[in-house]
Amino acid sequence: MRRPMVAGNWKMHGTRASVAELIEGLAEQVLPSGVDVAVFPSSLHVIPVVEGLQGKSISVGAQNCAHEAGQGALTGEISSSQLADAGCKLVLVGHSERRQIMGEGDDVLIRKFAAAQASGLTPVLCIGETLEEREAGKTLEVVGQQLDSVIVALGINALVNAVIAYEPVWAIGTGLTASPQQAQDVHAAIRAQLAKENAEVAQGVRLLYGGSVKAANAVELFGMPDIDGGLIGGASLNAAEFGAIIRAAGN
Ligand code: PGA
């Protein structure tokens, strides 16, 4: 059985005061023991969040890392080893905002994925199609290619200590959610693609859904056989709402 995971991507939100308030709210939530919970604050807030959540079973991750694991002359970047040293356990790789707005392509994302693992962090590989690609019937092709680039470069075993998040770009921050069946169809295709390489890896890897998940739609989404939890953006900024989503994954 795969252990469900619910992760909160705080994106470029928060001040010291609002982050302190959010983690206080999280600490008050009654969380099911069977769900792995993680939050991804901005890099600036990683250390206070790690410190503030000490003793709670909530992991902290970063939203991005440099394409090299070690320290070095790379102005403005933060390496995976520095994130690990700060107490991070996971890192997002390939979020659509980084692919589309920051122009990150598969080559650099593969290096970030490898750097994360070299530092002992679990990469959460985000993949997903745009509305245009979905309407052109290219969803599985696009998602398959994004996943394949990592498998070809790093091998199927690189997915053993990783999480995959399927996030249709048209559902992120738009209030539009993929229907449970639409999401399940893509998740099943992702797992089938992995199974072609290695059935055991395919059965073990957690596939999260992301895109306008809220407490009101989480139960149905998480009830699908290949959806192992969620990557939550906007709704993770509200402790009570995020808590309710986590409890939905524990059902
Ligand atoms: P959303 O974001 O829940 O606000 O749609 C999800 C994400 O971008 O990870």
Side-chain angles (χ1 to χ4, degrees), residues 64-150:
N64 182 36
C65 67
H67 61 283
E68 286 172 17
Q71 298 177 40
L74 204 52
T75 303
E77 288 294 294
I78 300 176
S79 75
S80 50
S81 59
Q82 290 175 309
L83 293 170
D85 177 62
C88 281
K89 301 288 182 217
L90 309 108
V91 61
L92 301 182
V93 176
H95 190 279
S96 66
E97 286 149 19
R98 297 209 62 87
R99 289 181 192 264
Q100 300 208 312
I101 304 170
M102 310 307 289
E104 291 185 359
D106 286 332
D107 289 356
V108 74
L109 295 176
I110 289 162
R111 293 183 66 183
K112 290 183 178 199
F113 187 106
Q117 288 189 329
S119 301
L121 301 181
T122 299
V124 179
L125 177 70
C126 304
I127 56 180
E129 82 289 359
T130 63
L131 184 58
E132 206 179 16
E133 289 162 342
R134 173 162 284 265
E135 285 175 345
K138 290 190 174 151
T139 298
L140 297 185
E141 187 188 321
V142 168
V143 168
Q145 189 277 325
Q146 289 169 341
L147 179 57
D148 202 47
S149 69
V150 174

Side-chain angles (χ1 to χ4, degrees), residues 25-238:
L26 282 178
E28 285 166 9
Q29 293 298 308
V30 179
L31 301 179
S33 57
V35 180
D36 285 343
V37 181
V39 292
F40 294 76
S42 82
S43 300
L44 200 55
H45 297 123
V46 159
I47 290 173
V49 173
V50 167
E51 288 172 353
L53 290 175
Q54 223 141 48
K56 308 278 168 211
S57 47
I58 300 178
S59 303
V60 179
Q63 297 171 17
N64 182 36
C65 67
H67 61 283
E68 286 172 17
Q71 298 177 40
L74 204 52
T75 303
E77 288 294 294
I78 300 176
S79 75
S80 50
S81 59
Q82 290 175 309
L83 293 170
D85 177 62
C88 281
K89 301 288 182 217
L90 309 108
V91 61
L92 301 182
V93 176
H95 190 279
S96 66
E97 286 149 19
R98 297 209 62 87
R99 289 181 192 264
Q100 300 208 312
I101 304 170
M102 310 307 289
E104 291 185 359
D106 286 332
D107 289 356
V108 74
L109 295 176
I110 289 162
R111 293 183 66 183
K112 290 183 178 199
F113 187 106
Q117 288 189 329
S119 301
L121 301 181
T122 299
V124 179
L125 177 70
C126 304
I127 56 180
E129 82 289 359
T130 63
L131 184 58
E132 206 179 16
E133 289 162 342
R134 173 162 284 265
E135 285 175 345
K138 290 190 174 151
T139 298
L140 297 185
E141 187 188 321
V142 168
V143 168
Q145 189 277 325
Q146 289 169 341
L147 179 57
D148 202 47
S149 69
V150 174
I151 299 174
V152 168
L154 304 176
I156 185 69
N157 286 324
L159 274 309
V160 173
N161 288 316
V163 174
I164 297 172
Y166 167 58
E167 300 203 301
V169 179
W170 50 272
I172 294 177
T174 56
L176 296 173
T177 318
S179 70
Q181 193 58 53
Q182 277 176 323
Q184 164 60 24
D185 289 348
V186 180
H187 283 228
I190 292 169
R191 211 178 293 286
Q193 181 179 350
L194 296 170
K196 267 196 251 163
E197 309 285 332
N198 183 314
E200 206 179 316
V201 174
Q203 272 316 305
V205 72
R206 287 180 292 189
L207 307 182
L208 312 184
Y209 168 78
S212 299
V213 177
K214 29 190 184 295
N217 58 23
V219 173
E220 262 195 295
L221 284 161
F222 298 165
M224 302 309 278
D226 286 294
I227 301 182
D228 306 312
L231 180 55
I232 321 302
S236 71
L237 295 170
N238 179 309

